[in-house]
Amino acid sequence: MTAIDVLLKRHTDGLDRGAPGVPTPAPSLHLTVVTCMDARIKVFDVFGLRHGEAHILRNAGGIVTEDVLRSLSISQRKLQTTEVIVMQHTSCGLSTFTDDEFRADLERDTGLRPTWAVEAFREVKISVRQSVERVRRSPFVPHTDNVRGFVYDVQTAELTEVD
Ligand SMILES: [Zn+2]
């Protein structure tokens, strides 16, 4: 039995009745959260979020990539969000190797170098600042007055704002 099979059984056994109390795809807090895919981050719990309140965009690192800017553009232009949280975290996998190492591994194993940047980092605060700045400077994201960056400590649950 695969993990997917397990989840399909949980779905069948569960009582998910959708979200009838959420009448619109537009988040009620007009907020988007960009964060890492790390399984330790309970993003709804970190901010006390409820269903329907925010868009959540996750990828390796919580990096503002071109695709995150694509989603932010749609989120703000079509679904009325105006604020952005960028939250990266301590002990991130992306701080354990370099772009060059990962790209060399891929090339060795597959014969191909990726066209995308790995976006590995050494200092998480610098990475947060870079991602925040990408949002602020994007011509496709109209609301940039409230874009704030944070580091979440996965051991203590402490949230620290990055200036
Ligand atoms: Zn991470």
Side-chain angles (χ1 to χ4, degrees), residues 36 38 61 89 92-93:
C36 185
D38 193 298
H89 66 99
C92 187

Side-chain angles (χ1 to χ4, degrees), residues 36-38 40-41 59-62 88-94 121:
C36 185
M37 66 187 185
D38 193 298
R40 294 169 293 184
I41 299 174
N59 65 18
Q88 298 181 12
H89 66 99
T90 58
S91 309
C92 187
L94 279 183
F121 54 81

Side-chain angles (χ1 to χ4, degrees), residues 13-76:
D13 294 347
L15 289 172
D16 181 6
R17 302 194 188 285
V22 181
T24 164
S28 62
L29 291 180
H30 307 288
L31 169 74
T32 303
V33 179
V34 179
T35 195
C36 185
M37 66 187 185
D38 193 298
R40 294 169 293 184
I41 299 174
K42 301 178 289 180
V43 63
F44 275 78
D45 293 351
V46 170
F47 294 107
L49 279 170
R50 300 185 185 94
H51 283 296
E53 288 188 329
H55 283 147
I56 312 293
L57 307 178
R58 301 187 76 159
N59 65 18
I63 307 288
V64 173
T65 61
E66 285 298 301
D67 193 60
V68 167
L69 290 172
R70 177 185 73 89
S71 293
L72 280 173
S73 182
I74 293 164
S75 176
Q76 292 202 355

Side-chain angles (χ1 to χ4, degrees), residues 46-157:
V46 170
F47 294 107
L49 279 170
R50 300 185 185 94
H51 283 296
E53 288 188 329
H55 283 147
I56 312 293
L57 307 178
R58 301 187 76 159
N59 65 18
I63 307 288
V64 173
T65 61
E66 285 298 301
D67 193 60
V68 167
L69 290 172
R70 177 185 73 89
S71 293
L72 280 173
S73 182
I74 293 164
S75 176
Q76 292 202 355
R77 297 181 65 91
K78 297 294 185 188
L79 293 160
Q80 295 89 50
T81 65
T82 56
E83 299 184 42
V84 181
I85 285 173
V86 176
M87 184 179 79
Q88 298 181 12
H89 66 99
T90 58
S91 309
C92 187
L94 279 183
S95 62
T96 62
F97 51 81
T98 68
D99 274 47
D100 283 347
E101 285 167 17
F102 193 74
R103 293 168 70 83
D105 287 351
L106 290 176
E107 186 170 20
R108 186 192 63 239
D109 293 346
T110 70
L112 291 173
R113 290 179 77 80
T115 55
W116 30 267
V118 180
E119 302 270 12
F121 54 81
R122 278 286 165 266
E123 174 52 58
V124 64
K125 283 185 184 175
I126 293 171
S127 180
V128 169
R129 279 194 200 103
Q130 180 66 217
S131 277
V132 165
E133 209 52 39
R134 286 177 186 171
V135 179
R136 288 181 178 153
R137 295 190 197 185
S138 173
F140 307 121
V141 179
H143 303 287
T144 56
D145 288 345
N146 288 297
V147 183
R148 294 166 67 177
F150 299 86
V151 175
Y152 177 71
D153 188 315
V154 292
Q155 263 82 47
T156 68

